[in-house]
Amino acid sequence: MPKDPSTVGIAPGDGLIARFGAVVVYLPGETSSTDRILGAIEAVADGEHPGAAIVQRLAAVVFGGGSEPPPFGVVAPTGDGTVILLRGPVSAEIQGAEGTRRLAGARAFTWVDEIVREPVRQISVGADTALPLATHPRSNLRDGVVPGGGFVFRVAVRKTGKSARPAPAAPPSVAGNEPPPTAPAGMVALSESDTQSSDEARAPAEIGTRVGPPAWSEISEATRPTTSSRPQPVALDKVPAHGGARPRRVHPAGSGSAASTLGPATGTLVFEDGAAYPLDRPYVIGRSPMSDDSVRTAAASPIAVPRDRHVSRVHAYVSLEHGKVYVRDASTPAGTFIAAPGAEQWTRVGTAPIELPPGWSVRIGERIATHRIEDRRKDATEISGERRRP
């Protein structure tokens, strides 16, 4: 059985470090919830990409009980990256080709979750005041639970040769066929001599401003991807025979400015509690949509969904194109779903814009909103004003 090239260095401290396969956990100290948290993670850690399952189990354990949820840090692989979960005074440092950036669990009332996709060399998780961590040079946790004040998850390059002597230079045609180094799921192996230019590497996102890719309205016409290159949505179940219709994908405009493609207002996005938002502008939906760049620059309006543990800080984007409404997910663990009128099955959407036809609904966490065109109702400012009245 080949050895995993990644290592987990342990920093001294009074907390607990646990490793179950490719999943690594940091707990600042033992509490009444320690056994339940570790048990929930270990139960699904053997899966191929257990990140999403761990998010669901931790949500039930952490927020389902009556006691105060403890702080923790978790690093786990997902199908398209590595998810980092942080709660309370726990932070993570992510080192990659573009430098080091930090996530802080104290920035959210519930927890901070982010899927890391850019190439990384190592991820350090520990108390806010402990970073950067100093680990023992010979420590390497391979399985189990040990005491510690944090961990450093290092992604190493897998060796491809057995001889210590340098190999002779190969012709370009042969070297081009050599497979790249491998690494754990959701990670990309990098050597210390990696000199990939900033034009080729994907720049890391600024913490606190964006969780997923930029809104469709922010992408210039020249750089928008073609239809064939966009990821397809993941269908949770068969699309119901509601006229045999599937949501149509957006086709990028061939010319003109982004403002010229918005078109007239197509209707209203109406939530179950009666809140209505006119579909004459882009929106960012989430627990803290104000942290998104498109809201900061007034390119989109925010729709806040507070007090929902299944909703990320920036969860979904609503955009307009030639009078049609489109929705896409912001790479969230819980996902964004759409359904036809009267349908019982929901279809999960990806990070590419998918049309939300009139009458269709979008589900974000426990909230459901419907695209209506029969009336415009009241706009968001009027609703906010009514809610503030006694």
Side-chain angles (χ1 to χ4, degrees):
M1 179 178 179
K3 294 182 179 180
D4 189 340
S6 62
T7 62
V8 177
I10 306 298
D14 299 329
L16 294 176
I17 310 297
R19 183 175 185 180
F20 308 111
V23 182
V24 190
V25 186
Y26 166 64
L27 297 173
E30 288 200 51
T31 66
S32 58
S33 302
T34 297
D35 290 339
R36 290 189 298 151
I37 291 177
L38 294 180
I41 295 175
E42 186 178 13
V44 295
D46 290 337
E48 184 178 2
H49 303 300
I54 289 175
V55 171
Q56 296 177 355
R57 283 182 169 264
L58 281 182
V61 172
V62 173
F63 304 110
S67 59
E68 177 67 16
F72 58 80
V74 179
V75 175
T78 65
D80 56 351
T82 298
V83 64
I84 300 177
L85 301 174
L86 304 171
R87 172 173 169 76
V90 178
S91 296
E93 279 189 352
I94 306 167
Q95 296 184 17
E98 293 298 317
T100 302
R101 61 191 184 97
R102 178 177 290 199
L103 296 174
R107 297 178 66 91
F109 289 110
T110 53
W111 64 33
V112 170
D113 55 77
E114 179 171 329
I115 296 180
V116 180
R117 293 183 177 85
E118 69 265 24
V120 296
R121 291 191 179 97
Q122 67 179 35
I123 300 175
S124 304
V125 177
D128 290 340
T129 57
L131 296 180
L133 296 175
T135 62
H136 192 283
R138 295 187 179 276
S139 63
N140 180 16
L141 179 62
R142 300 185 181 183
D143 188 62
V145 182
V146 298
F151 67 85
V152 177
F153 185 88
R154 299 184 183 91
V155 181
V157 176
R158 191 186 299 275
K159 296 181 180 180
T160 57
K162 296 182 179 180
S163 174
R165 296 163 54 182
S173 60
V174 177
N177 295 328
E178 183 179 355
T182 59
M187 315 290 281
V188 176
L190 294 176
S191 64
E192 293 298 330
S193 60
D194 190 350
T195 57
Q196 184 181 23
S197 65
S198 58
D199 293 336
E200 298 174 342
R202 174 178 161 188
E206 181 182 354
I207 300 306
T209 60
R210 186 182 304 282
V211 174
W216 182 256
S217 59
E218 296 179 70
I219 306 176
S220 64
E221 301 290 345
T223 59
R224 286 184 181 177
T226 61
T227 303
S228 60
S229 64
R230 299 179 196 145
Q232 297 292 329
V234 179
L236 296 185
D237 207 332
K238 294 182 179 179
V239 176
H242 187 80
R246 283 183 179 269
R248 296 187 298 275
R249 302 180 60 78
V250 60
H251 297 281
S255 61
S257 64
S260 65
T261 63
L262 294 180
T266 62
T268 309
L269 193 64
V270 183
F271 284 82
E272 291 179 312
D273 61 359
Y277 298 85
L279 291 169
D280 55 359
R281 72 200 76 171
Y283 289 100
V284 179
I285 307 176
R287 287 200 321 266
S288 181
M290 289 71 68
S291 63
D292 190 84
D293 279 347
S294 60
V295 176
R296 291 174 180 265
T297 59
S301 298
I303 299 179
V305 183
R307 298 182 298 276
D308 190 332
R309 64 178 180 267
H310 300 295
V311 177
S312 299
R313 297 174 67 235
V314 175
H315 196 101
Y317 297 93
V318 176
S319 58
L320 309 176
E321 188 84 17
H322 296 298
K324 297 180 180 180
V325 180
Y326 298 89
V327 62
R328 68 179 178 89
D329 186 66
S331 301
T332 60
T336 302
F337 304 85
I338 61 175
E344 296 182 358
Q345 294 85 4
W346 292 84
T347 301
R348 184 168 185 168
V349 303
T351 56
I354 298 297
E355 183 182 353
L356 185 71
W360 284 60
S361 299
V362 56
R363 176 165 63 85
I364 298 173
E366 298 178 354
R367 300 288 300 276
I368 297 177
T370 303
H371 178 192
R372 295 184 179 177
I373 59 174
E374 62 269 17
D375 58 6
R376 288 295 307 275
R377 297 198 175 187
K378 300 177 181 179
D379 61 26
T381 56
E382 293 175 327
I383 293 174
S384 300
E386 288 185 358
R387 289 180 174 176
R388 288 194 293 267
R389 297 185 190 130

